[in-house]
Amino acid sequence: MSWELIPDGGTPGGPRRRFPWGVPLAVGIVTVVIGLSLLIWPFFAASRILALLIGVAFIGNGIAAIVGSRARGLATPAAILFIVLGVIAIAFPELTVSVLVGFVAATMLFVGVVWLAIAIRMRAAMHWAFVALPAVLVALGLVAFVWPSLALVIAAFVAGLVTTLVGGSLIWAAVALRRRSA
């Protein structure tokens, strides 16, 4: 038995294998539904989806640490903490999202201020972009701190638009594969 990453067209003179066009079609439909939910209900969908993703990541890391840890020490208590944090993240999505938005806002402020300080120190070689980009980053960080729900809605709307376009392209590709194989 041989495993292939990219299936060939079959053996010469033999039957030609067709790509399963239903897989990208199903993934595309699910992706479009998620994208549209982010566009229609940006705050609700974003908070639920983000909390679920963060919670599952915490739980998965906790389980992996328990299963894969040979030296027990602090690995097991840390793994249990990850699992508990994952359950809390899924159970309280609004809290999870507010903590995440606060963390992202603080990170944007920190990176923007440090970048701006470096740009100011390089006065001789300063280009307007070295000041404008960190200033925008600081402004976005401040907006995210002052209006976290607005920051989440904007991020969810942009993510929904991109996700819907990606899902649509998957559906288009699946239909093109179906036509080609027919």
Side-chain angles (χ1 to χ4, degrees), residues 35-124:
L36 289 176
S37 71
L38 284 169
L39 288 173
I40 296 170
W41 306 289
F43 182 77
F44 178 78
S47 62
R48 301 288 180 208
I49 291 169
L50 279 175
L52 183 66
L53 289 175
I54 291 170
V56 167
F58 273 138
I59 292 170
N61 281 316
I63 291 171
I66 287 174
V67 171
S69 176
R70 294 202 176 136
R72 289 295 172 197
L74 291 176
T76 303
I80 292 170
L81 178 65
F82 274 169
I83 293 171
V84 169
L85 287 174
V87 171
I88 290 172
I90 293 171
F92 302 102
E94 289 82 16
L95 174 67
T96 303
V97 170
S98 66
V99 168
L100 181 65
V101 168
F103 176 74
V104 169
T107 303
M108 288 180 1
L109 277 173
F110 177 74
V111 169
V113 167
V114 169
W115 190 359
L116 195 55
I118 291 170
I120 291 171
R121 296 278 297 175
M122 300 176 17
R123 278 181 243 151

Side-chain angles (χ1 to χ4, degrees), residues 106-161:
T107 303
M108 288 180 1
L109 277 173
F110 177 74
V111 169
V113 167
V114 169
W115 190 359
L116 195 55
I118 291 170
I120 291 171
R121 296 278 297 175
M122 300 176 17
R123 278 181 243 151
M126 192 171 2
H127 189 268
W128 67 270
F130 289 124
V131 174
L133 292 176
V136 167
L137 200 57
V138 168
L140 289 174
L142 288 173
V143 167
F145 260 134
V146 175
W147 297 294
S149 60
L150 175 66
L152 181 63
V153 166
I154 290 171
F157 185 79
V158 170
L161 186 62

Side-chain angles (χ1 to χ4, degrees), residues 19-29 165-181:
F19 186 79
W21 61 273
V23 173
L25 180 66
V27 171
I29 290 170
L165 291 173
V166 167
S169 69
L170 284 169
I171 293 170
W172 177 79
V175 170
L177 281 171
R178 175 70 178 137
R179 284 187 193 143
R180 185 173 161 204
S181 66

